Amino acid sequence: MAEGQTGAAGPDLAQGVSLDELPDGGKLLGKVGEEPVLLARQGAEVFAIGAQCTHYGGPLADGLIVGETVRCPWHHACFSLRTGEALHAPAFSPVDSWGVEQRNGKIFVREKKTPVPALTRTTSGTPKRIVIVGGGAAGFAAAEMLRRKSYEGEIVILSSDEAPPVDRPNLSKDYLAGNAPEDWIPLRPGEFYRDNRIDLRLSATVERLDVESHELTLLSGEALRFDRLLLATGAEPVRPTIPGASPSDIFVLRSLADGRAIIERAKAAKRAVVLGASFIGLEVAASLRTRNIDVSVVAPEATPMERVLGGEMGEFVRALHEEHGVVFHLGATATAVDEGTVRLSDGSTVKADFIVAGIGVRPRVGLAEAAGLKVDRGVVVDAFLETTAPGIFAAGDIARWPDRASREAVRVEHWVVAERQGQLAALNLMGGRERFTASPFFWSQHYDVQINYVGHAERWDEIAVDGNIDAKDCLVRYKRGGRTLAVASISRDLASLEAEVAFERGAPG
Ligand SMILES: Cc1cc2nc3c(=O)[nH]c(=O)nc-3n(C[C@H](O)[C@H](O)[C@H](O)COP(=O)(O)OP(=O)(O)OC[C@H]3O[C@@H](n4cnc5c(N)ncnc54)[C@H](O)[C@@H]3O)c2cc1C
Ligand code: FES
């Protein structure tokens, strides 16, 4: 899918630009033919790569150069300036790269380079069969990286889902709002798995893991041996039971099937109740408003998202949704449903044709726990994402890993973190010894406002606001003992990227 930048702006780089226009460390947007090209200089070297991010089309010229890489301002994908490779998710496909000639103080962009196949990371002791349990963000990213790094052995993905890996964040955003067709949702078309010899088995639930014999048993009774294993079983939504409500009246949103079901029900509906005022609940509320459905949000907290973003950001989010017609019933829970009327704990009632619950998720740690792996509010992994059983790794929503910046063992439920952990786990599954040092990052979309968040702050004693939250232009720092633990931002993409780099270097300030 490609949105954002279209057409090409800036100077024609084939005709040449003066080296003076590109100071060391600088970047410049130009074009070659009709293609937007980013020129970047590192010392004496000048690089030319495609200027449009292969994730959702973000403008790389507005991104951050870090060494020989550029990071996308929208969702922080990272590309190599030298080769165009998408080094870190959420982008997977490379951007093009061009040869550059420097002559008489001018830079000329020449012919497009042919991509060079990535090097195999390990040659000896490489496992014959790598099995991945989970066909979501982490599982997909791991399989893709294994093949990208020329892993030649067998790759099997076992997934409970009926659908191949999907762009899960989109399910509550453009897809639910009706702005993204369903063919945008798969992360890759079916041929990708066939062409890359990835044995993707759908509706294949693993019931048992035997750590000693390296064997998995599926719900179907089939047994499968592995040499190395990645557990990436994600999380499942909490399903509330409300007296009087039939299960078919209450929807949750995790899978493509869940998304389809909500869209089907929304077609003939006028009113919906959303339970939960956190990210998924409020994104669902925004998308249903786009479909002109009256939405009431019911949640026990006094301010939406306060636990994650603090009071002032929470009030901003509430006001934003109210401007778009969402009605909040805060400090309340649903106690009963009676023929299209939802009764609330504060005595009030709300009419609804259906209910969507976004009241949290539980990490699917049962498989790991039953196998005897260490579990502590998540599957415990080390900096290499290896569990307490050698050769068995875990990534994504289930993994609790030692986070460098916060100096705590953390588990988060973020798309980009799951993908990046899958990518790193792939290297270690092949025998590498790479540490996971990426800083947690997520974004959340509410109408025309995107909130970006880097770092991890479960508690803080100070919130410092730079800019103006109500003006949708701010950088909010969450601090404890004077140290910044996390940064939320609106319209401050570069500062968000800079904070990410600082967290990765362990010096958030
Ligand atoms: C609607 C929605 C919107 C979101 N929006 C955002 C966002 O904007 N930004 C953000 O950062 N994050 C967002 N998230 C969170 C993000 O999607 C998750 O953090 C991410 O998907 C976690 O990846 P994962 O690989 O750990 O798990 P998942 O992507 O959930 O994948 C888990 C996989 O494991 C399979 N599985 C589970 N148990 C078994 C088993 N026993 N046997 C076989 N297969 C099994 C499942 O079927 C699934 O395929 C959103 C989530 C949802 C649901
Ligand atoms: S558009 Fe670049 S990371 Fe999403």
Side-chain angles (χ1 to χ4, degrees):
M1 160 166 44
E3 294 169 357
Q5 226 175 35
T6 49
D12 184 343
L13 301 175
Q15 299 301 317
V17 286
S18 165
L19 195 57
D20 296 341
E21 286 185 49
L22 196 62
D24 189 10
K27 58 186 176 349
L28 182 91
L29 177 65
K31 60 186 176 187
V32 174
E34 280 310 301
E35 291 185 74
V37 172
L38 173 71
L39 215 53
R41 180 170 161 192
Q42 287 292 301
E45 272 193 288
V46 176
F47 303 105
I49 62 167
Q52 194 167 348
C53 176
T54 53
H55 179 229
Y56 280 15
L60 295 182
D62 296 341
L64 183 70
I65 303 278
V66 184
E68 284 191 11
T69 69
V70 59
R71 299 189 188 204
C72 177
W74 286 2
H75 317 110
H76 294 201
C78 176
F79 293 88
S80 161
L81 290 171
R82 191 173 286 281
T83 64
E85 182 183 354
L87 297 170
H88 303 301
F92 291 99
S93 301
V95 289
D96 288 329
S97 82
W98 281 262
V100 175
E101 186 189 350
Q102 294 186 47
R103 192 159 35 93
N104 303 331
K106 286 188 87 175
I107 306 162
F108 300 87
V109 173
R110 299 303 190 200
E111 67 296 334
K112 222 176 241 185
K113 289 188 199 162
T114 316
V116 182
L119 291 176
T120 310
R121 308 280 300 202
T122 49
T123 47
S124 63
T126 308
K128 286 199 173 62
R129 180 190 284 161
I130 293 176
V131 177
I132 297 167
V133 184
F140 169 83
E144 195 274 346
M145 187 56 85
L146 284 169
R147 283 296 181 243
R148 206 196 300 179
K149 296 294 175 194
S150 307
Y151 170 66
E152 284 298 330
E154 221 183 304
I155 303 174
V156 183
I157 301 181
L158 302 168
S159 173
S160 301
D161 287 351
E162 294 159 20
V166 293
D167 184 356
R168 220 177 281 293
N170 208 320
L171 296 178
S172 52
K173 303 179 180 68
D174 283 339
Y175 176 64
L176 184 58
N179 298 332
E182 195 167 303
D183 56 3
W184 284 8
I185 301 304
L187 289 177
R188 284 288 182 275
E191 312 84 83
F192 168 82
Y193 302 95
R194 188 197 57 214
D195 295 349
N196 285 283
R197 293 174 293 110
I198 296 169
D199 182 1
L200 172 63
R201 303 190 196 170
L202 300 175
S203 303
T205 297
V206 178
E207 279 241 294
R208 212 172 87 82
L209 157 63
D210 189 323
V211 169
E212 293 305 316
S213 63
H214 274 203
E215 195 169 88
L216 297 165
T217 310
L218 279 74
L219 193 59
S220 61
E222 188 190 340
L224 185 71
R225 273 191 50 76
F226 59 85
D227 294 306
R228 300 239 168 91
L229 178 70
L230 176 64
L231 294 172
T233 46
E236 63 196 325
V238 175
R239 291 171 194 269
T241 45
I242 307 171
S246 77
S248 64
D249 289 332
I250 305 182
F251 295 81
V252 293
L253 182 53
R254 185 79 192 179
S255 64
L256 177 58
D258 296 335
R260 283 181 185 146
I262 296 174
I263 289 170
E264 208 40 49
R265 180 63 80 92
K267 280 180 186 162
K270 292 195 170 59
R271 293 163 299 210
V273 161
V274 172
L275 303 178
S278 201
F279 294 99
I280 291 185
L282 290 184
E283 288 189 354
V284 166
S287 295
L288 293 179
R289 286 299 301 133
T290 309
R291 288 180 178 267
N292 254 331
I293 290 175
D294 291 345
V295 179
S296 300
V297 172
V298 177
E301 58 266 41
T303 308
M305 296 189 176
E306 187 173 10
R307 195 178 54 80
V308 181
L309 296 178
E312 207 180 332
M313 276 289 255
E315 282 304 334
F316 162 78
V317 170
R318 172 191 174 140
L320 178 68
H321 281 268
E322 284 176 340
E323 271 168 37
H324 287 82
V326 172
V327 177
F328 284 94
H329 297 264
L330 297 169
T333 53
T335 53
V337 177
D338 185 7
E339 294 193 356
T341 299
V342 182
R343 296 188 185 286
L344 307 186
S345 54
D346 62 6
S348 60
T349 57
V350 194
K351 292 268 184 208
D353 299 319
F354 67 103
I355 299 169
V356 182
I359 56 172
V361 295
R362 288 193 195 95
R364 288 189 182 109
V365 297
L367 191 62
E369 198 163 28
L373 304 182
K374 185 171 178 193
V375 170
D376 171 18
R377 295 160 296 142
V379 179
V380 175
V381 294
D382 60 16
F384 309 102
L385 304 183
E386 197 163 22
T387 67
T388 43
I392 300 181
F393 295 78
D397 284 5
I398 59 167
R400 184 171 288 277
W401 85 96
D403 175 48
R404 186 167 171 180
S406 65
R407 299 170 200 164
E408 288 175 359
V410 306
R411 187 188 71 77
V412 300
E413 291 147 11
H414 304 346
W415 179 251
V416 172
V417 172
E419 290 182 324
R420 290 185 179 174
Q421 289 190 341
Q423 293 183 317
L424 182 111
L427 306 181
N428 292 342
L429 283 161
M430 286 189 291
R433 275 316 257 177
E434 307 257 349
R435 288 171 189 275
F436 186 73
T437 54
S439 175
F441 164 75
F442 73 81
W443 79 97
S444 187
Q445 187 76 37
H446 305 259
Y447 314 98
D448 61 338
V449 174
Q450 180 172 314
I451 300 171
N452 281 2
Y453 183 101
V454 287
H456 184 74
E458 284 174 25
R459 300 177 309 284
W460 55 79
D461 51 31
E462 185 191 344
I463 293 181
V465 179
D466 182 14
N468 186 333
I469 295 178
D470 291 330
K472 302 174 188 169
D473 175 20
C474 61
L475 193 78
V476 181
R477 292 186 181 82
Y478 303 85
K479 299 183 172 190
R480 196 164 69 225
R483 275 183 80 232
T484 302
L485 299 177
V487 174
S489 61
I490 302 172
S491 313
R492 298 275 184 104
D493 293 339
L494 214 48
S496 173
L497 283 166
E498 282 162 357
E500 181 182 65
V501 173
F503 285 132
E504 282 170 11
R505 292 177 178 160

